[in-house]
PDB file of all heavy atoms in Angstrom:
ATOM      1  N   THR A  20     -31.952 -66.781-130.830  1.00 96.00           N
ATOM      2  CA  THR A  20     -30.813 -65.932-130.490  1.00 96.00           C
ATOM      3  C   THR A  20     -30.293 -66.269-129.103  1.00 96.00           C
ATOM      4  O   THR A  20     -29.079 -66.337-128.876  1.00 96.00           O
ATOM      5  CB  THR A  20     -31.213 -64.451-130.565  1.00 96.00           C
ATOM      6  OG1 THR A  20     -31.664 -64.139-131.888  1.00 96.00           O
ATOM      7  CG2 THR A  20     -30.043 -63.547-130.205  1.00 96.00           C
ATOM      8  N   ALA A  21     -31.220 -66.496-128.155  1.00 97.00           N
ATOM      9  CA  ALA A  21     -30.828 -66.847-126.787  1.00 97.00           C
ATOM     10  C   ALA A  21     -30.056 -68.163-126.765  1.00 97.00           C
ATOM     11  O   ALA A  21     -29.035 -68.291-126.075  1.00 97.00           O
ATOM     12  CB  ALA A  21     -32.060 -66.939-125.898  1.00 97.00           C
ATOM     13  N   LYS A  22     -30.537 -69.144-127.528  1.00 97.00           N
ATOM     14  CA  LYS A  22     -29.860 -70.444-127.584  1.00 97.00           C
ATOM     15  C   LYS A  22     -28.468 -70.302-128.199  1.00 97.00           C
ATOM     16  O   LYS A  22     -27.493 -70.889-127.703  1.00 97.00           O
ATOM     17  CB  LYS A  22     -30.702 -71.427-128.409  1.00 97.00           C
ATOM     18  CG  LYS A  22     -30.145 -72.848-128.439  1.00 97.00           C
ATOM     19  CD  LYS A  22     -30.207 -73.488-127.061  1.00 97.00           C
ATOM     20  CE  LYS A  22     -29.794 -74.950-127.118  1.00 97.00           C
ATOM     21  NZ  LYS A  22     -29.795 -75.578-125.768  1.00 97.00           N
ATOM     22  N   ALA A  23     -28.378 -69.511-129.254  1.00 98.00           N
ATOM     23  CA  ALA A  23     -27.081 -69.302-129.897  1.00 98.00           C
ATOM     24  C   ALA A  23     -26.117 -68.591-128.941  1.00 98.00           C
ATOM     25  O   ALA A  23     -24.917 -68.890-128.908  1.00 98.00           O
ATOM     26  CB  ALA A  23     -27.252 -68.486-131.175  1.00 98.00           C
ATOM     27  N   ALA A  24     -26.653 -67.659-128.145  1.00 97.00           N
ATOM     28  CA  ALA A  24     -25.812 -66.916-127.206  1.00 97.00           C
ATOM     29  C   ALA A  24     -25.190 -67.845-126.159  1.00 97.00           C
ATOM     30  O   ALA A  24     -23.985 -67.763-125.887  1.00 97.00           O
ATOM     31  CB  ALA A  24     -26.624 -65.826-126.520  1.00 97.00           C
ATOM     32  N   VAL A  25     -25.979 -68.743-125.587  1.00 97.00           N
ATOM     33  CA  VAL A  25     -25.435 -69.646-124.567  1.00 97.00           C
ATOM     34  C   VAL A  25     -24.513 -70.694-125.179  1.00 97.00           C
ATOM     35  O   VAL A  25     -23.688 -71.294-124.472  1.00 97.00           O
ATOM     36  CB  VAL A  25     -26.562 -70.328-123.750  1.00 97.00           C
ATOM     37  CG1 VAL A  25     -27.427 -69.300-123.051  1.00 97.00           C
ATOM     38  CG2 VAL A  25     -27.420 -71.224-124.632  1.00 97.00           C
ATOM     39  N   ASN A  26     -24.621 -70.885-126.481  1.00 97.00           N
ATOM     40  CA  ASN A  26     -23.740 -71.830-127.170  1.00 97.00           C
ATOM     41  C   ASN A  26     -22.451 -71.173-127.668  1.00 97.00           C
ATOM     42  O   ASN A  26     -21.653 -71.807-128.359  1.00 97.00           O
ATOM     43  CB  ASN A  26     -24.464 -72.488-128.341  1.00 97.00           C
ATOM     44  CG  ASN A  26     -25.487 -73.510-127.876  1.00 97.00           C
ATOM     45  OD1 ASN A  26     -25.378 -74.065-126.782  1.00 97.00           O
ATOM     46  ND2 ASN A  26     -26.496 -73.774-128.704  1.00 97.00           N
ATOM     47  N   GLY A  27     -22.264 -69.887-127.342  1.00 97.00           N
ATOM     48  CA  GLY A  27     -21.002 -69.231-127.636  1.00 97.00           C
ATOM     49  C   GLY A  27     -20.967 -68.322-128.842  1.00 97.00           C
ATOM     50  O   GLY A  27     -19.914 -67.786-129.188  1.00 97.00           O
ATOM     51  N   ASP A  28     -22.107 -68.089-129.493  1.00 98.00           N
ATOM     52  CA  ASP A  28     -22.162 -67.210-130.663  1.00 98.00           C
ATOM     53  C   ASP A  28     -22.004 -65.756-130.203  1.00 98.00           C
ATOM     54  O   ASP A  28     -22.895 -65.201-129.555  1.00 98.00           O
ATOM     55  CB  ASP A  28     -23.494 -67.416-131.384  1.00 98.00           C
ATOM     56  CG  ASP A  28     -23.586 -66.659-132.700  1.00 98.00           C
ATOM     57  OD1 ASP A  28     -23.212 -65.476-132.734  1.00 98.00           O
ATOM     58  OD2 ASP A  28     -24.059 -67.244-133.690  1.00 98.00           O
ATOM     59  N   LYS A  29     -20.884 -65.135-130.537  1.00 98.00           N
ATOM     60  CA  LYS A  29     -20.587 -63.778-130.068  1.00 98.00           C
ATOM     61  C   LYS A  29     -21.591 -62.749-130.583  1.00 98.00           C
ATOM     62  O   LYS A  29     -21.992 -61.831-129.861  1.00 98.00           O
ATOM     63  CB  LYS A  29     -19.171 -63.380-130.497  1.00 98.00           C
ATOM     64  CG  LYS A  29     -18.069 -64.249-129.918  1.00 98.00           C
ATOM     65  CD  LYS A  29     -18.029 -64.155-128.403  1.00 98.00           C
ATOM     66  CE  LYS A  29     -16.862 -64.963-127.833  1.00 98.00           C
ATOM     67  NZ  LYS A  29     -16.842 -64.927-126.343  1.00 98.00           N
ATOM     68  N   ALA A  30     -21.992 -62.875-131.844  1.00 97.00           N
ATOM     69  CA  ALA A  30     -22.957 -61.934-132.412  1.00 97.00           C
ATOM     70  C   ALA A  30     -24.298 -62.044-131.689  1.00 97.00           C
ATOM     71  O   ALA A  30     -24.947 -61.031-131.406  1.00 97.00           O
ATOM     72  CB  ALA A  30     -23.136 -62.191-133.904  1.00 97.00           C
ATOM     73  N   ALA A  31     -24.719 -63.271-131.384  1.00 97.00           N
ATOM     74  CA  ALA A  31     -25.972 -63.477-130.658  1.00 97.00           C
ATOM     75  C   ALA A  31     -25.867 -62.930-129.240  1.00 97.00           C
ATOM     76  O   ALA A  31     -26.827 -62.341-128.717  1.00 97.00           O
ATOM     77  CB  ALA A  31     -26.322 -64.964-130.628  1.00 97.00           C
ATOM     78  N   GLN A  32     -24.716 -63.102-128.609  1.00 98.00           N
ATOM     79  CA  GLN A  32     -24.518 -62.563-127.253  1.00 98.00           C
ATOM     80  C   GLN A  32     -24.633 -61.043-127.248  1.00 98.00           C
ATOM     81  O   GLN A  32     -25.274 -60.461-126.376  1.00 98.00           O
ATOM     82  CB  GLN A  32     -23.158 -63.004-126.724  1.00 98.00           C
ATOM     83  CG  GLN A  32     -23.066 -64.488-126.428  1.00 98.00           C
ATOM     84  CD  GLN A  32     -21.659 -64.950-126.105  1.00 98.00           C
ATOM     85  OE1 GLN A  32     -20.707 -64.148-126.111  1.00 98.00           O
ATOM     86  NE2 GLN A  32     -21.491 -66.231-125.812  1.00 98.00           N
ATOM     87  N   GLU A  33     -24.013 -60.401-128.230  1.00 97.00           N
ATOM     88  CA  GLU A  33     -24.080 -58.943-128.320  1.00 97.00           C
ATOM     89  C   GLU A  33     -25.512 -58.475-128.606  1.00 97.00           C
ATOM     90  O   GLU A  33     -25.967 -57.467-128.040  1.00 97.00           O
ATOM     91  CB  GLU A  33     -23.135 -58.450-129.407  1.00 97.00           C
ATOM     92  CG  GLU A  33     -21.664 -58.632-129.066  1.00 97.00           C
ATOM     93  CD  GLU A  33     -20.748 -58.214-130.197  1.00 97.00           C
ATOM     94  OE1 GLU A  33     -21.279 -57.696-131.215  1.00 97.00           O
ATOM     95  OE2 GLU A  33     -19.516 -58.392-130.085  1.00 97.00           O
ATOM     96  N   LYS A  34     -26.205 -59.193-129.460  1.00 96.00           N
ATOM     97  CA  LYS A  34     -27.580 -58.826-129.797  1.00 96.00           C
ATOM     98  C   LYS A  34     -28.499 -58.960-128.591  1.00 96.00           C
ATOM     99  O   LYS A  34     -29.331 -58.075-128.318  1.00 96.00           O
ATOM    100  CB  LYS A  34     -28.092 -59.698-130.942  1.00 96.00           C
ATOM    101  CG  LYS A  34     -29.497 -59.333-131.417  1.00 96.00           C
ATOM    102  CD  LYS A  34     -29.923 -60.175-132.614  1.00 96.00           C
ATOM    103  CE  LYS A  34     -31.307 -59.766-133.104  1.00 96.00           C
ATOM    104  NZ  LYS A  34     -31.734 -60.564-134.273  1.00 96.00           N
ATOM    105  N   LEU A  35     -28.357 -60.051-127.833  1.00 96.00           N
ATOM    106  CA  LEU A  35     -29.196 -60.261-126.655  1.00 96.00           C
ATOM    107  C   LEU A  35     -28.877 -59.253-125.566  1.00 96.00           C
ATOM    108  O   LEU A  35     -29.779 -58.748-124.886  1.00 96.00           O
ATOM    109  CB  LEU A  35     -29.018 -61.687-126.135  1.00 96.00           C
ATOM    110  CG  LEU A  35     -30.050 -62.167-125.103  1.00 96.00           C
ATOM    111  CD1 LEU A  35     -31.461 -62.105-125.675  1.00 96.00           C
ATOM    112  CD2 LEU A  35     -29.724 -63.586-124.643  1.00 96.00           C
ATOM    113  N   ALA A  36     -27.598 -58.923-125.409  1.00 97.00           N
ATOM    114  CA  ALA A  36     -27.203 -57.921-124.425  1.00 97.00           C
ATOM    115  C   ALA A  36     -27.792 -56.560-124.769  1.00 97.00           C
ATOM    116  O   ALA A  36     -28.284 -55.831-123.893  1.00 97.00           O
ATOM    117  CB  ALA A  36     -25.679 -57.842-124.336  1.00 97.00           C
ATOM    118  N   GLU A  37     -27.758 -56.197-126.048  1.00 95.00           N
ATOM    119  CA  GLU A  37     -28.329 -54.921-126.488  1.00 95.00           C
ATOM    120  C   GLU A  37     -29.836 -54.887-126.236  1.00 95.00           C
ATOM    121  O   GLU A  37     -30.388 -53.878-125.771  1.00 95.00           O
ATOM    122  CB  GLU A  37     -28.040 -54.697-127.964  1.00 95.00           C
ATOM    123  CG  GLU A  37     -28.577 -53.371-128.504  1.00 95.00           C
ATOM    124  CD  GLU A  37     -28.333 -53.185-129.984  1.00 95.00           C
ATOM    125  OE1 GLU A  37     -27.852 -54.135-130.631  1.00 95.00           O
ATOM    126  OE2 GLU A  37     -28.655 -52.097-130.504  1.00 95.00           O
ATOM    127  N   TYR A  38     -30.504 -55.999-126.533  1.00 95.00           N
ATOM    128  CA  TYR A  38     -31.949 -56.096-126.285  1.00 95.00           C
ATOM    129  C   TYR A  38     -32.244 -55.962-124.800  1.00 95.00           C
ATOM    130  O   TYR A  38     -33.164 -55.239-124.389  1.00 95.00           O
ATOM    131  CB  TYR A  38     -32.463 -57.436-126.810  1.00 95.00           C
ATOM    132  CG  TYR A  38     -33.878 -57.766-126.401  1.00 95.00           C
ATOM    133  CD1 TYR A  38     -34.968 -57.213-127.065  1.00 95.00           C
ATOM    134  CD2 TYR A  38     -34.120 -58.635-125.340  1.00 95.00           C
ATOM    135  CE1 TYR A  38     -36.267 -57.520-126.680  1.00 95.00           C
ATOM    136  CE2 TYR A  38     -35.415 -58.939-124.949  1.00 95.00           C
ATOM    137  CZ  TYR A  38     -36.476 -58.386-125.624  1.00 95.00           C
ATOM    138  OH  TYR A  38     -37.762 -58.684-125.236  1.00 95.00           O
ATOM    139  N   ASN A  39     -31.462 -56.653-123.972  1.00 96.00           N
ATOM    140  CA  ASN A  39     -31.658 -56.629-122.523  1.00 96.00           C
ATOM    141  C   ASN A  39     -31.470 -55.212-121.976  1.00 96.00           C
ATOM    142  O   ASN A  39     -32.269 -54.720-121.166  1.00 96.00           O
ATOM    143  CB  ASN A  39     -30.666 -57.600-121.888  1.00 96.00           C
ATOM    144  CG  ASN A  39     -31.075 -58.103-120.516  1.00 96.00           C
ATOM    145  OD1 ASN A  39     -30.360 -58.898-119.908  1.00 96.00           O
ATOM    146  ND2 ASN A  39     -32.215 -57.673-120.006  1.00 96.00           N
ATOM    147  N   ARG A  40     -30.416 -54.542-122.429  1.00 96.00           N
ATOM    148  CA  ARG A  40     -30.175 -53.161-121.986  1.00 96.00           C
ATOM    149  C   ARG A  40     -31.282 -52.226-122.467  1.00 96.00           C
ATOM    150  O   ARG A  40     -31.674 -51.289-121.758  1.00 96.00           O
ATOM    151  CB  ARG A  40     -28.818 -52.680-122.504  1.00 96.00           C
ATOM    152  CG  ARG A  40     -27.619 -53.344-121.834  1.00 96.00           C
ATOM    153  CD  ARG A  40     -26.324 -52.650-122.264  1.00 96.00           C
ATOM    154  NE  ARG A  40     -25.168 -53.171-121.550  1.00 96.00           N
ATOM    155  CZ  ARG A  40     -24.312 -54.060-122.048  1.00 96.00           C
ATOM    156  NH1 ARG A  40     -24.499 -54.530-123.288  1.00 96.00           N
ATOM    157  NH2 ARG A  40     -23.286 -54.473-121.332  1.00 96.00           N
ATOM    158  N   GLY A  41     -31.797 -52.481-123.663  1.00 94.00           N
ATOM    159  CA  GLY A  41     -32.896 -51.657-124.164  1.00 94.00           C
ATOM    160  C   GLY A  41     -34.131 -51.758-123.296  1.00 94.00           C
ATOM    161  O   GLY A  41     -34.857 -50.769-123.115  1.00 94.00           O
ATOM    162  N   ASP A  42     -34.381 -52.931-122.752  1.00 95.00           N
ATOM    163  CA  ASP A  42     -35.508 -53.110-121.833  1.00 95.00           C
ATOM    164  C   ASP A  42     -35.365 -52.218-120.599  1.00 95.00           C
ATOM    165  O   ASP A  42     -36.352 -51.701-120.073  1.00 95.00           O
ATOM    166  CB  ASP A  42     -35.601 -54.570-121.390  1.00 95.00           C
ATOM    167  CG  ASP A  42     -36.467 -55.399-122.327  1.00 95.00           C
ATOM    168  OD1 ASP A  42     -36.962 -54.849-123.324  1.00 95.00           O
ATOM    169  OD2 ASP A  42     -36.645 -56.599-122.055  1.00 95.00           O
ATOM    170  N   ILE A  43     -34.139 -52.049-120.111  1.00 96.00           N
ATOM    171  CA  ILE A  43     -33.898 -51.234-118.918  1.00 96.00           C
ATOM    172  C   ILE A  43     -34.228 -49.772-119.203  1.00 96.00           C
ATOM    173  O   ILE A  43     -34.911 -49.106-118.417  1.00 96.00           O
ATOM    174  CB  ILE A  43     -32.432 -51.371-118.460  1.00 96.00           C
ATOM    175  CG1 ILE A  43     -32.150 -52.806-118.022  1.00 96.00           C
ATOM    176  CG2 ILE A  43     -32.134 -50.392-117.320  1.00 96.00           C
ATOM    177  CD1 ILE A  43     -33.034 -53.319-116.918  1.00 96.00           C
ATOM    178  N   ILE A  44     -33.747 -49.273-120.313  1.00 94.00           N
ATOM    179  CA  ILE A  44     -34.007 -47.871-120.673  1.00 94.00           C
ATOM    180  C   ILE A  44     -35.503 -47.627-120.827  1.00 94.00           C
ATOM    181  O   ILE A  44     -36.049 -46.637-120.319  1.00 94.00           O
ATOM    182  CB  ILE A  44     -33.247 -47.515-121.966  1.00 94.00           C
ATOM    183  CG1 ILE A  44     -31.738 -47.595-121.720  1.00 94.00           C
ATOM    184  CG2 ILE A  44     -33.646 -46.127-122.462  1.00 94.00           C
ATOM    185  CD1 ILE A  44     -30.895 -47.513-122.974  1.00 94.00           C
ATOM    186  N   ALA A  45     -36.185 -48.547-121.505  1.00 94.00           N
ATOM    187  CA  ALA A  45     -37.634 -48.403-121.699  1.00 94.00           C
ATOM    188  C   ALA A  45     -38.391 -48.543-120.385  1.00 94.00           C
ATOM    189  O   ALA A  45     -39.340 -47.793-120.122  1.00 94.00           O
ATOM    190  CB  ALA A  45     -38.121 -49.440-122.710  1.00 94.00           C
ATOM    191  N   SER A  46     -37.987 -49.486-119.548  1.00 95.00           N
ATOM    192  CA  SER A  46     -38.699 -49.734-118.289  1.00 95.00           C
ATOM    193  C   SER A  46     -38.595 -48.546-117.338  1.00 95.00           C
ATOM    194  O   SER A  46     -39.568 -48.157-116.705  1.00 95.00           O
ATOM    195  CB  SER A  46     -38.154 -50.992-117.607  1.00 95.00           C
ATOM    196  OG  SER A  46     -38.413 -52.144-118.372  1.00 95.00           O
ATOM    197  N   GLU A  47     -37.396 -47.961-117.238  1.00 95.00           N
ATOM    198  CA  GLU A  47     -37.227 -46.816-116.349  1.00 95.00           C
ATOM    199  C   GLU A  47     -38.012 -45.611-116.860  1.00 95.00           C
ATOM    200  O   GLU A  47     -38.648 -44.885-116.085  1.00 95.00           O
ATOM    201  CB  GLU A  47     -35.750 -46.463-116.190  1.00 95.00           C
ATOM    202  CG  GLU A  47     -35.514 -45.348-115.184  1.00 95.00           C
ATOM    203  CD  GLU A  47     -34.050 -45.008-115.024  1.00 95.00           C
ATOM    204  OE1 GLU A  47     -33.275 -45.894-114.612  1.00 95.00           O
ATOM    205  OE2 GLU A  47     -33.673 -43.846-115.301  1.00 95.00           O
ATOM    206  N   ALA A  48     -37.967 -45.389-118.166  1.00 93.00           N
ATOM    207  CA  ALA A  48     -38.715 -44.274-118.742  1.00 93.00           C
ATOM    208  C   ALA A  48     -40.211 -44.466-118.556  1.00 93.00           C
ATOM    209  O   ALA A  48     -40.943 -43.510-118.254  1.00 93.00           O
ATOM    210  CB  ALA A  48     -38.374 -44.141-120.234  1.00 93.00           C
ATOM    211  N   LEU A  49     -40.697 -45.702-118.719  1.00 94.00           N
ATOM    212  CA  LEU A  49     -42.116 -45.972-118.518  1.00 94.00           C
ATOM    213  C   LEU A  49     -42.499 -45.781-117.062  1.00 94.00           C
ATOM    214  O   LEU A  49     -43.581 -45.263-116.750  1.00 94.00           O
ATOM    215  CB  LEU A  49     -42.447 -47.396-118.973  1.00 94.00           C
ATOM    216  CG  LEU A  49     -43.914 -47.801-118.865  1.00 94.00           C
ATOM    217  CD1 LEU A  49     -44.797 -46.939-119.779  1.00 94.00           C
ATOM    218  CD2 LEU A  49     -44.096 -49.279-119.205  1.00 94.00           C
ATOM    219  N   PHE A  50     -41.632 -46.189-116.149  1.00 94.00           N
ATOM    220  CA  PHE A  50     -41.875 -45.987-114.720  1.00 94.00           C
ATOM    221  C   PHE A  50     -42.080 -44.512-114.405  1.00 94.00           C
ATOM    222  O   PHE A  50     -43.036 -44.129-113.724  1.00 94.00           O
ATOM    223  CB  PHE A  50     -40.700 -46.552-113.923  1.00 94.00           C
ATOM    224  CG  PHE A  50     -40.607 -46.075-112.508  1.00 94.00           C
ATOM    225  CD1 PHE A  50     -41.616 -46.351-111.598  1.00 94.00           C
ATOM    226  CD2 PHE A  50     -39.509 -45.350-112.084  1.00 94.00           C
ATOM    227  CE1 PHE A  50     -41.535 -45.905-110.275  1.00 94.00           C
ATOM    228  CE2 PHE A  50     -39.413 -44.903-110.777  1.00 94.00           C
ATOM    229  CZ  PHE A  50     -40.430 -45.186-109.868  1.00 94.00           C
ATOM    230  N   ASP A  51     -41.189 -43.659-114.917  1.00 92.00           N
ATOM    231  CA  ASP A  51     -41.344 -42.221-114.687  1.00 92.00           C
ATOM    232  C   ASP A  51     -42.634 -41.694-115.304  1.00 92.00           C
ATOM    233  O   ASP A  51     -43.307 -40.831-114.730  1.00 92.00           O
ATOM    234  CB  ASP A  51     -40.149 -41.468-115.272  1.00 92.00           C
ATOM    235  CG  ASP A  51     -38.924 -41.503-114.370  1.00 92.00           C
ATOM    236  OD1 ASP A  51     -39.105 -41.627-113.147  1.00 92.00           O
ATOM    237  OD2 ASP A  51     -37.800 -41.410-114.893  1.00 92.00           O
ATOM    238  N   ARG A  52     -42.969 -42.194-116.467  1.00 91.00           N
ATOM    239  CA  ARG A  52     -44.168 -41.724-117.181  1.00 91.00           C
ATOM    240  C   ARG A  52     -45.453 -42.117-116.463  1.00 91.00           C
ATOM    241  O   ARG A  52     -46.430 -41.367-116.426  1.00 91.00           O
ATOM    242  CB  ARG A  52     -44.153 -42.290-118.607  1.00 91.00           C
ATOM    243  CG  ARG A  52     -45.267 -41.776-119.512  1.00 91.00           C
ATOM    244  CD  ARG A  52     -45.111 -40.300-119.814  1.00 91.00           C
ATOM    245  NE  ARG A  52     -45.965 -39.892-120.904  1.00 91.00           N
ATOM    246  CZ  ARG A  52     -47.230 -39.496-120.763  1.00 91.00           C
ATOM    247  NH1 ARG A  52     -47.783 -39.472-119.572  1.00 91.00           N
ATOM    248  NH2 ARG A  52     -47.930 -39.133-121.823  1.00 91.00           N
ATOM    249  N   LEU A  53     -45.456 -43.321-115.885  1.00 92.00           N
ATOM    250  CA  LEU A  53     -46.666 -43.835-115.241  1.00 92.00           C
ATOM    251  C   LEU A  53     -46.801 -43.427-113.772  1.00 92.00           C
ATOM    252  O   LEU A  53     -47.900 -43.466-113.222  1.00 92.00           O
ATOM    253  CB  LEU A  53     -46.690 -45.364-115.319  1.00 92.00           C
ATOM    254  CG  LEU A  53     -46.949 -46.004-116.676  1.00 92.00           C
ATOM    255  CD1 LEU A  53     -46.832 -47.521-116.567  1.00 92.00           C
ATOM    256  CD2 LEU A  53     -48.331 -45.623-117.203  1.00 92.00           C
ATOM    257  N   ARG A  54     -45.705 -43.064-113.155  1.00 88.00           N
ATOM    258  CA  ARG A  54     -45.705 -42.894-111.697  1.00 88.00           C
ATOM    259  C   ARG A  54     -46.778 -41.929-111.166  1.00 88.00           C
ATOM    260  O   ARG A  54     -47.408 -42.219-110.140  1.00 88.00           O
ATOM    261  CB  ARG A  54     -44.313 -42.472-111.226  1.00 88.00           C
ATOM    262  CG  ARG A  54     -44.097 -42.730-109.742  1.00 88.00           C
ATOM    263  CD  ARG A  54     -42.655 -42.461-109.319  1.00 88.00           C
ATOM    264  NE  ARG A  54     -42.282 -41.081-109.520  1.00 88.00           N
ATOM    265  CZ  ARG A  54     -41.457 -40.667-110.469  1.00 88.00           C
ATOM    266  NH1 ARG A  54     -40.931 -41.527-111.305  1.00 88.00           N
ATOM    267  NH2 ARG A  54     -41.168 -39.391-110.588  1.00 88.00           N
ATOM    268  N   PRO A  55     -47.034 -40.778-111.812  1.00 85.00           N
ATOM    269  CA  PRO A  55     -48.073 -39.889-111.276  1.00 85.00           C
ATOM    270  C   PRO A  55     -49.477 -40.501-111.267  1.00 85.00           C
ATOM    271  O   PRO A  55     -50.365 -40.004-110.562  1.00 85.00           O
ATOM    272  CB  PRO A  55     -48.012 -38.677-112.223  1.00 85.00           C
ATOM    273  CG  PRO A  55     -46.637 -38.707-112.790  1.00 85.00           C
ATOM    274  CD  PRO A  55     -46.319 -40.151-112.939  1.00 85.00           C
ATOM    275  N   TYR A  56     -49.695 -41.574-112.036  1.00 89.00           N
ATOM    276  CA  TYR A  56     -51.013 -42.207-112.091  1.00 89.00           C
ATOM    277  C   TYR A  56     -51.113 -43.432-111.189  1.00 89.00           C
ATOM    278  O   TYR A  56     -52.181 -44.024-111.067  1.00 89.00           O
ATOM    279  CB  TYR A  56     -51.316 -42.640-113.540  1.00 89.00           C
ATOM    280  CG  TYR A  56     -51.123 -41.532-114.541  1.00 89.00           C
ATOM    281  CD1 TYR A  56     -49.948 -41.439-115.284  1.00 89.00           C
ATOM    282  CD2 TYR A  56     -52.096 -40.558-114.738  1.00 89.00           C
ATOM    283  CE1 TYR A  56     -49.748 -40.425-116.194  1.00 89.00           C
ATOM    284  CE2 TYR A  56     -51.915 -39.541-115.652  1.00 89.00           C
ATOM    285  CZ  TYR A  56     -50.740 -39.472-116.371  1.00 89.00           C
ATOM    286  OH  TYR A  56     -50.541 -38.454-117.271  1.00 89.00           O
ATOM    287  N   ALA A  57     -49.996 -43.814-110.596  1.00 90.00           N
ATOM    288  CA  ALA A  57     -49.944 -45.073-109.847  1.00 90.00           C
ATOM    289  C   ALA A  57     -50.537 -44.913-108.450  1.00 90.00           C
ATOM    290  O   ALA A  57     -50.481 -43.844-107.844  1.00 90.00           O
ATOM    291  CB  ALA A  57     -48.504 -45.557-109.744  1.00 90.00           C
ATOM    292  N   LYS A  58     -51.098 -45.997-107.951  1.00 88.00           N
ATOM    293  CA  LYS A  58     -51.617 -46.056-106.595  1.00 88.00           C
ATOM    294  C   LYS A  58     -50.836 -47.113-105.814  1.00 88.00           C
ATOM    295  O   LYS A  58     -50.473 -48.154-106.348  1.00 88.00           O
ATOM    296  CB  LYS A  58     -53.108 -46.440-106.594  1.00 88.00           C
ATOM    297  CG  LYS A  58     -53.993 -45.546-107.451  1.00 88.00           C
ATOM    298  CD  LYS A  58     -54.063 -44.134-106.930  1.00 88.00           C
ATOM    299  CE  LYS A  58     -55.007 -43.266-107.770  1.00 88.00           C
ATOM    300  NZ  LYS A  58     -55.013 -41.856-107.337  1.00 88.00           N
ATOM    301  N   GLY A  59     -50.590 -46.814-104.550  1.00 89.00           N
ATOM    302  CA  GLY A  59     -49.981 -47.811-103.677  1.00 89.00           C
ATOM    303  C   GLY A  59     -48.497 -48.022-103.851  1.00 89.00           C
ATOM    304  O   GLY A  59     -47.981 -49.080-103.466  1.00 89.00           O
ATOM    305  N   LEU A  60     -47.786 -47.041-104.421  1.00 92.00           N
ATOM    306  CA  LEU A  60     -46.342 -47.181-104.538  1.00 92.00           C
ATOM    307  C   LEU A  60     -45.683 -46.960-103.172  1.00 92.00           C
ATOM    308  O   LEU A  60     -46.268 -46.336-102.289  1.00 92.00           O
ATOM    309  CB  LEU A  60     -45.788 -46.146-105.526  1.00 92.00           C
ATOM    310  CG  LEU A  60     -46.209 -46.262-106.981  1.00 92.00           C
ATOM    311  CD1 LEU A  60     -45.478 -45.206-107.808  1.00 92.00           C
ATOM    312  CD2 LEU A  60     -45.935 -47.646-107.528  1.00 92.00           C
ATOM    313  N   PRO A  61     -44.459 -47.457-102.992  1.00 95.00           N
ATOM    314  CA  PRO A  61     -43.725 -47.106-101.772  1.00 95.00           C
ATOM    315  C   PRO A  61     -43.619 -45.587-101.650  1.00 95.00           C
ATOM    316  O   PRO A  61     -43.314 -44.908-102.632  1.00 95.00           O
ATOM    317  CB  PRO A  61     -42.349 -47.741-101.990  1.00 95.00           C
ATOM    318  CG  PRO A  61     -42.582 -48.829-102.989  1.00 95.00           C
ATOM    319  CD  PRO A  61     -43.685 -48.350-103.873  1.00 95.00           C
ATOM    320  N   HIS A  62     -43.894 -45.051-100.470  1.00 95.00           N
ATOM    321  CA  HIS A  62     -43.894 -43.600-100.258  1.00 95.00           C
ATOM    322  C   HIS A  62     -42.459 -43.090-100.277  1.00 95.00           C
ATOM    323  O   HIS A  62     -41.654 -43.438 -99.412  1.00 95.00           O
ATOM    324  CB  HIS A  62     -44.551 -43.283 -98.915  1.00 95.00           C
ATOM    325  CG  HIS A  62     -44.995 -41.867 -98.770  1.00 95.00           C
ATOM    326  ND1 HIS A  62     -44.159 -40.788 -98.995  1.00 95.00           N
ATOM    327  CD2 HIS A  62     -46.201 -41.338 -98.417  1.00 95.00           C
ATOM    328  CE1 HIS A  62     -44.824 -39.661 -98.777  1.00 95.00           C
ATOM    329  NE2 HIS A  62     -46.064 -39.969 -98.441  1.00 95.00           N
TER     330      HIS A  62
END
């Protein structure tokens, strides 16, 4: 999909963008979920 996206495939570009954005939503939510258990974070 990544190769197709850089080669101009619009459907692949949209799919990769959606996947990339999904990582952001999951990463931020996981950060909030884990933060009370974390050690050594910036104060």
Side-chain angles (χ1 to χ4, degrees):
T20 301
K22 185 66 174 178
V25 301
N26 287 335
D28 186 315
K29 298 297 184 182
Q32 291 171 359
E33 291 176 5
K34 183 176 182 180
L35 193 59
E37 181 182 6
Y38 170 80
N39 203 180
R40 290 189 175 100
D42 271 2
I43 296 302
I44 295 169
S46 295
E47 185 180 299
L49 182 63
F50 163 62
D51 280 333
R52 186 67 166 87
L53 288 176
R54 200 173 62 252
Y56 309 98
K58 305 295 183 184
L60 295 184
H62 198 307

